[in-house]
Amino acid sequence: MGAQKKKDAARVPEGLSRQRLQAIVIADSFNTRFRPLTLERPKVLLPLVNIPMIDYTLAWLESAGIDEIFVFCCAHSLQLIDHLKKSQWCSLVRTIVSHKSTSVGDALRYIYEQQHTETSQIQGDFVLVSGDTVSNMPLAELIREHRERKKRDEKAIMTMVIKKQCSRLRLGSDQLFVAVDPVTKQLLYYNEGGEVCLDKSLVLDTSVLVCNDVKDCYIDICSPEVLSLFEDNFDYQHLRRHFVKGLLVDDIMGYKIFTHEVHSSCYAARIDNLRSYDTVSKDIIQRWTYPYVPDISFSGNHPLKLGRRGMYRASDAVQSRSADIGASTVIGYGTRIGNGGKIFNSVIGNGCSIGSNVVIQGSYIWNNVTIEDGCEIRNAVVCDGVKIRAGAVLQPGVVLSFNVVVGRDFVVPAYSKVSLLQQAIKDDSDEELEYAYSSRGTADLLSGVNNLQMESKASELGPDGAGYIWEVFDSSHDEEWWKHSIVPIPMEKLADITQVTDDGDIEDESVVPPRGELKSDNDSISTDANDPNDDDYGYFQREVRETFLRAVEEDNNVDHVTPLINSLRFSYNMASADCAGAIFYSMMRLAVDSPHNSTSELYRNATSIINKSKGLLGFYVKQIDEQIEVIMKFEEMCEETAELVPLFAQIVHFLYDKDVVQEDAILRWGEEKAGADESDKVYLNQCEAFIQWLKEASEEEEDEEDS
Amino acid sequence: MPDVQSMVAEFVNKLRKRKIEGSQATAKCTVELLRSVISHQRVPHANQAAALIDAVKAVGQQLVAANPVELAVGNVVRRVLHIIREEDLSLTTAAMAGLDLLDASDDDDIDNCKGIGYPAMSAAVVAAAARSTLRPPSLQTLLEGTPESATVPYTSSSGADSESKSKSADKSSLTRKLKHDVIEGVNQLIQEISGCHEQIAEQAIEHIHQNEVILTLGSSRTVLEFLCAAKEKKRSFRVFVAEGAPRYQGHLLAKELVARGLQTTVITDSAVFAMISRVNMVIIGAHAVMANGGVIGPVGVNMAALAAKKHAVPFVVLAGSHKLCPLYPHNPEVLLNELRSPSELLDFGEFSDCLDFGAGSGSLQVVNPTFDYVPPNLVSLFITDTGGHNPSYMYRLIADYYSADDLVM
C-alpha cells in the first residue's frame, strides 16, 4: 500500500510540470453529404467497419496522449452523449452542446464564449479535428514542434497537417493547391477547388514550394488565439474557406499558419463523403490504420477474428458451407448467411440475416439488416433495420436509410437515396444542415413512419416496400454525384479526368510550374492591357443603359442617377466623354425600342426622351469634345439602326435647340468630317443645310456685333 | 481495490493499443500488476488459495484478451497461478505433517478418516494425471500425494472433526502465510524475468568459440547480451545481422553491436541463404516457445532456420523462461501471428492509386505478418536461463513451470 501511494505522489508533479493536452472534436459535419442517413443519426455515429466513426477519432487521440477531449455536439446531441457515456472514454471526454451552431465557426465561437463561464476549459494549445477523422499518426512530436515554434514566434498560431497523396479522387475531395516555404514550412497559399490564382511573387520566387499532390488531413494544432480570432471575425464560418484564407489573404495581425507534412508511414484521412467512407473502410480492412483495425479491440468493441485473405469474421457468425465469402470482407456478430451466397469486398454488420443465393458486392450492410433470398446488392450502403425482400435488386450507388423496406422483386435504380422520411421541400435548405431535422423531434418521425405503413401501398419501393426515393436536387453538385458516391468512378468519367490531368501534367511536379500554367494576377492584367477599351466600353455602355432604364422606369430625377453613373465611370475608368456617349446611346436606344409606327412618331419619342433627361446628359457634355462625342455616337447608332438615318439632321437640330450641343461643336464636327470619305459624309450632307444656317447665323451675329 | 482496477484498465488499454512491445517488458509489467492484484486481494478464511486464483484468473483473462498475440502475458499469468497452487500445496502438506504427528498420538477417528480419504485422493491423482496430457505426475507429486483439488476438502473435513480451536488460529496464520509466500514467489519470478538476460548470457562462453561467424536476424536484447558476454570473455568472432525487413530492427542491433566493439556485417534477409555456408552458428531470440518446441520469432526466421538445416549449421534459440508457452501451435484458439500496417512495406501515398481503384481493375493487397513459426525439427538447441535444452525436452520444462489446470483460462 505504502509503495503504491508513493508512486501516485510521484506521478502528480510530473503531470503538473507537463502542460495538459487538449483536443476539440467537432462532431458535426455541417453539410448534407450524408443525407438522408444523417437525418436519423449523427454522422460521427455512423458505423465504419462496424465501429462508430468517432471511436476511431477518440481512440487515436487518447493513444496520442491527449488528456482531455471536448466533443462539440450539434445535431442529434442526445444520441451522441449517450454513446459517449457508455464508451470507455467517458472519463476523458467532455461534451459541449449547442444546437444553434451552423458551422465550425459558430462552434468555435460557442466554445470561446463558454470558456468564460466554465473555469477549466481550453488552457493552451489544442488539437482541432472533426469527429470523422481516422488516423494513427503520433501527435506528441507535432504538438511539441508547434509549441517550440510558438515560443520563438508569437504569431505562429496554427499548424496544419498535410499528407502526400497522388490521387485526389480516392477521397472524392477537391483539388488542393498549397504553397509552402520549404525552410520554415510556413503556409503561403491555400486553395481548395476553384480557380488557382497565385500571386506573382510566389510564382517567381523559386524557393517556394508549390504543390498540388498533397491532401489536407483537417488535423490542426491551434493556439488559443485561434478561438479569439473566430470571435473577432464573426463572419468566419468554414475553417479553411474563411479562416485560413482570411489569415493568408487579409494578413490579420500578422498571424501565420504553418504546415506539417505527416510521415508516409502514418495514416490520416477524413470521411467527408460516401466515397471517402468507402475508401477509408477499405484502408481499415487492409490494415493501413493499424492498430485501429477490426481484430483489435481498441474501443471496447468485440474484436473480430482475422482469417485468410483479409477476411474478418465474428466468432459466432453462422455461414452456410456453400456460401462464397471473398477476400476483404467483414462479417459481424450474430450474422447468419444462407446457402449459395456470394459476398465480396463488403462489410456486414452485427445481427444481420442473409438468405440464400444473395449477391453482395462492394457494399456496406449495417446492423440488423434482413436480406431475403435471391437479392442482389452492388456498391450500396444499407443502414440499420432495413428489410430487403426476396428478389430485390439494388443497383450501384444506392443508399438505403434506416428501416427502409424494399419490396419483392423491386429494382432500386442506381444512385438513388431512399429514406422513410420525405425529402425536405427544396428551398428550405437555406443552410444545408443536419440539425434542421433534429429539432423536429421523434414524435414527428414516428408519425411519418406510421403514415407510411398505412399507405404503404403507395410506397415508391414496390407494393410491400416502405420508403421515399429522394431526388438529387442540388444541381450545383449534380456533376459531382459520381465523385461522392461509393460506386467506383465510371470508366468514361475516369477517362475524362485523366485527360484533364494529363493536360495539366506539368503541374504535378510539385516544383514551381512553368509560368504559363498558372495565371498570376499581374499577368492577367498585362495581357488584357492590349485591348482594354473594346470590351470594357461595351460593358460600361450596357451598365449605363441599364441604370438609365431603371432611372426612367422609376422616374428618378437627375440627382439620383448621376452618382450611379459616376460610380460606374470610375469603376470602368472612363472619361466623361464616354459617359456622355453612353448616356446618349441609352436615350436613343430607348426611343428606338419604344413602340412607334412612323418616323415622325419615332422623332416625337426621341425628342420627349431628350427633353426629359437633357439635364442628365447636360451634366456630362460641358465641353466641346464631349458634345462632339455625342454627335459621333449618334452617327454610329445611325449606322446600326436604319430607322434613325432620316432623323439625323432633325435630332441634331433638336439637340442644338435644347442647348445640349452647342453651335461650335456642330461646326467642329462638320469640319472634321469634311475631309472624310464620301461614304462617311452621308450624315454631313444631311446636315448641310443646318450647318449652313448655323454658319450664317454666326456670321450675322458677328456682323451685328461689328456694327 | 479501485486503484488496482484502474491499473488493470490502464495496462489493458496499453496492451490493446500495442503500446508495449517486447515480451520481456510485457512480462515484467504483467507480473508487477499481478503482484499488486494479489497484495490487494482480500482473502477469506476458507479456501484462500481458490480466492487468489480466481482473482488472478479474472485479471489474466482480461490481459490475454487485450493482446492475444503477446503470449508472454498468458505465460506469466499461468506462472503466477502455478506459484499460488504450489505455495498452497506446500503449506497444506506442512500443516498435514503437523496433523499427522498429532494424529499418531491422538485418536483413531482420524485414522479411519484417513483410511477412507487416501484411496479417494489417489484416485483423484490418477484422474488428474489422466486428464493432463501435458504433465505426467512427477515423482515428487506422487510421493507427496496431494493434488490441490483434493486438498481443500480434506483439510476442511479434518478440521471439522478434530481440534477446532487450534485450527482457527492455525488458519489465520496460514492465510497470512499463504499470501506472504505467494508474494515472495512472485517477487522471485520478477527477479527471474529481469535477470534472464544475464542468466542466458553466462552460458555464451560455452557456445561461441574463437573465430566463429554467427548469424542473427532482427533485434533481440537477449541475443545482444549473449554476444556481448562472449565478447567480454575475450572471444573474437564475427556477427552477420540480417536486417529483419520490414521493420529493420537488425539495423539497430548492428549499431549496438558495433558500439560494443563487435565485428558486424549487415546483410539483407534474402541474402541469408547465400551467406549461410560461411556461418558457424545461427542464434536468434524467440518471441515465444511453444510446448512442442516450435518457435515463434520475427518474420523471416523460418527461412533462416531452413537455410541452417540445409547447411547443417546449428540453429540456436535463446528464450527466457517467461517465453515458454504451455500451448501447442496447432490449437486454433491460439493466435500466433498478427498482421501489422502495410505502411511498413509500402509508401501509402505512392501506392494509393492501385489500392482499390475501381472494382474492375485488380487491386493491390499488402500482407505484413509480424511473426514466423519455426517447427521444432529445425531447432538444434534452446538456451534458457536454466541451461541448454533439446526441442523435445521443452514440454518437460514447461511442465515444471505451469500447472495443468491453468492451461485453459
Side-chain angles (χ1 to χ4, degrees), chain A residues 1 4 62-63 163 166-167 169-170 264-265 267 279 283 286-288 290 296-297 305-306 328 488 494, chain B residues 3 7 13 16-19 40 332 338-343 347-349 352-353 356-359 365:
Chain A
M1 269 312 250
Q4 201 56 46
E62 190 211 11
S63 69
K163 188 172 187 324
C166 279
S167 171
L169 294 171
R170 279 195 95 226
S264 64
S265 66
Y267 187 87
T279 314
D283 290 341
Q286 300 276 339
R287 309 180 72 79
W288 290 97
Y290 182 92
I296 293 180
S297 149
K305 216 164 149 52
L306 174 59
S328 308
L494 205 57
Chain B
D3 194 30
M7 278 165 70
N13 210 344
R16 269 189 194 148
K17 302 266 168 67
R18 308 297 193 253
K19 277 199 159 175
H40 283 78
E338 179 162 54
L339 300 180
R340 295 176 63 91
S341 169
S343 58
D347 182 356
F348 183 75
S352 56
D353 277 1
D356 50 18
F357 233 79
Q365 305 238 344

Side-chain angles (χ1 to χ4, degrees), chain B residues 71-142:
Chain B
L71 295 168
V73 176
N75 298 346
V76 165
V77 172
R78 292 190 183 94
R79 284 288 289 276
V80 171
L81 289 174
H82 183 66
I83 288 168
I84 299 172
R85 288 182 202 278
E86 291 277 295
E87 293 300 338
D88 186 40
L89 185 69
S90 66
L91 275 184
T92 38
T93 38
M96 250 173 45
L99 275 181
D100 281 350
L101 289 175
L102 282 173
D103 291 346
S105 63
D106 253 54
D107 47 8
D108 304 332
D109 270 44
I110 307 282
D111 266 352
N112 288 342
C113 173
K114 265 183 359 188
I116 303 157
Y118 263 115
M121 247 161 39
S122 58
V125 171
V126 174
R131 247 189 296 127
S132 91
T133 48
L134 183 74
R135 189 186 185 192
S138 74
L139 200 57
Q140 193 195 1
T141 347
L142 283 178

Side-chain angles (χ1 to χ4, degrees), chain A residues 60 228 322 328 429:
Chain A
W60 160 61
S228 52
S322 60
S328 308
S429 62

Side-chain angles (χ1 to χ4, degrees), chain A residues 264-275:
Chain A
S264 64
S265 66
C266 301
Y267 187 87
R270 182 180 173 212
I271 297 158
D272 205 21
N273 49 49
L274 281 171
R275 172 163 305 284

Side-chain angles (χ1 to χ4, degrees), chain A residues 634-635 638 644-652 669 683 686-687:
Chain A
F634 191 32
E635 236 184 318
C638 291
L644 284 173
V645 178
L647 294 175
F648 185 81
Q650 292 179 46
I651 289 181
V652 171
W669 170 73
Y683 306 105
Q686 257 195 45
C687 298

